[in-house]
Amino acid sequence: MLTIEEFLRLPDSVGERDVRYELVEGELVELQPEMLLHNLGRDDVLITLMKFVKDSGLGSVIGLQWFHLFGNTVRRVDVALMKTGRELPLYKLPEGAPDLAVEVVSPANTPREIDQRISHYFAAGCKRVWVFYPEHREVYIHGLAGVSRRRGGDLLEDAELLPGFSEKVSSLFDQAEHQ
């Protein structure tokens, strides 16, 4: 059982290998290396959300940010939206979950792991979780009221967190499609 302090002192590499971990309820979990499809999908979402949020002044969008969700649980979010008014500390982990967490699923991710991530985000105060499946070119939107699926020409929108944002799901997979 590791503490947050012990987790933060872990080395970034083991021998010749670059290693990343998450702390899940005190247990160390090694993150698998991301493949190109994952990174292209994440970058499409990150760039799209960053531009919209910057232009509309709704907050901050950050990629690959670690969050101290609660207790001894630290997760790295693929893309995170923090609404205006929420302070982001520059030299320590943000406490709690982002307002919107975006996860891009890789073949190495199991359904159980994704479900656990979603549960942890909501337990830490997240309002919405978007789960992108690049291989299937679809998005599952998880909210407190339930789950919905968007694909292809469907619009991805969120009037509460991102008023005015409307993007075709297919456009969020553009880079991955052209590889």
Side-chain angles (χ1 to χ4, degrees), residues 37 44 131-140 149-154 168-178:
L37 182 63
D44 277 340
V131 181
F132 279 71
Y133 290 87
E135 286 186 280
H136 305 291
R137 300 175 55 79
E138 58 188 14
V139 181
Y140 284 79
R149 181 178 76 169
R150 302 284 186 279
R151 59 191 325 183
D154 295 342
K168 283 186 178 179
V169 169
S170 59
S171 73
L172 295 170
F173 295 102
D174 280 350
Q175 284 190 78
E177 183 177 87
H178 294 100

Side-chain angles (χ1 to χ4, degrees), residues 94-111:
E95 295 285 332
D99 295 296
L100 168 67
V102 178
E103 286 295 327
V104 180
V105 177
S106 295
N109 296 124
T110 66

Side-chain angles (χ1 to χ4, degrees), residues 72-90:
N72 286 330
T73 298
V74 175
R75 293 281 195 180
R76 186 177 77 167
V77 182
D78 285 328
V79 178
L81 165 69
M82 301 292 282
K83 296 282 286 184
T84 298
R86 288 193 62 191
E87 293 278 331
L88 281 173
L90 296 177

Side-chain angles (χ1 to χ4, degrees), residues 52-170:
F52 178 81
V53 169
K54 182 179 180 185
D55 291 349
S56 59
L58 292 173
S60 301
V61 175
I62 306 141
L64 299 176
Q65 176 62 49
W66 301 91
F67 285 85
H68 176 201
L69 298 178
F70 53 81
N72 286 330
T73 298
V74 175
R75 293 281 195 180
R76 186 177 77 167
V77 182
D78 285 328
V79 178
L81 165 69
M82 301 292 282
K83 296 282 286 184
T84 298
R86 288 193 62 191
E87 293 278 331
L88 281 173
L90 296 177
Y91 299 105
K92 65 179 203 161
L93 297 178
E95 295 285 332
D99 295 296
L100 168 67
V102 178
E103 286 295 327
V104 180
V105 177
S106 295
N109 296 124
T110 66
R112 183 177 183 278
E113 175 194 353
I114 297 302
D115 287 345
Q116 185 182 48
R117 285 177 172 283
I118 293 165
S119 294
H120 285 165
Y121 294 146
F122 283 123
C126 193
K127 292 179 176 62
R128 208 93 63 247
V129 180
W130 294 352
V131 181
F132 279 71
Y133 290 87
E135 286 186 280
H136 305 291
R137 300 175 55 79
E138 58 188 14
V139 181
Y140 284 79
I141 300 137
H142 297 260
L144 297 177
V147 181
S148 60
R149 181 178 76 169
R150 302 284 186 279
R151 59 191 325 183
D154 295 342
L155 294 177
L156 184 58
E157 301 172 312
D158 191 319
E160 179 189 350
L161 292 178
L162 297 163
F165 178 80
S166 184
E167 197 71 38
K168 283 186 178 179
V169 169
S170 59

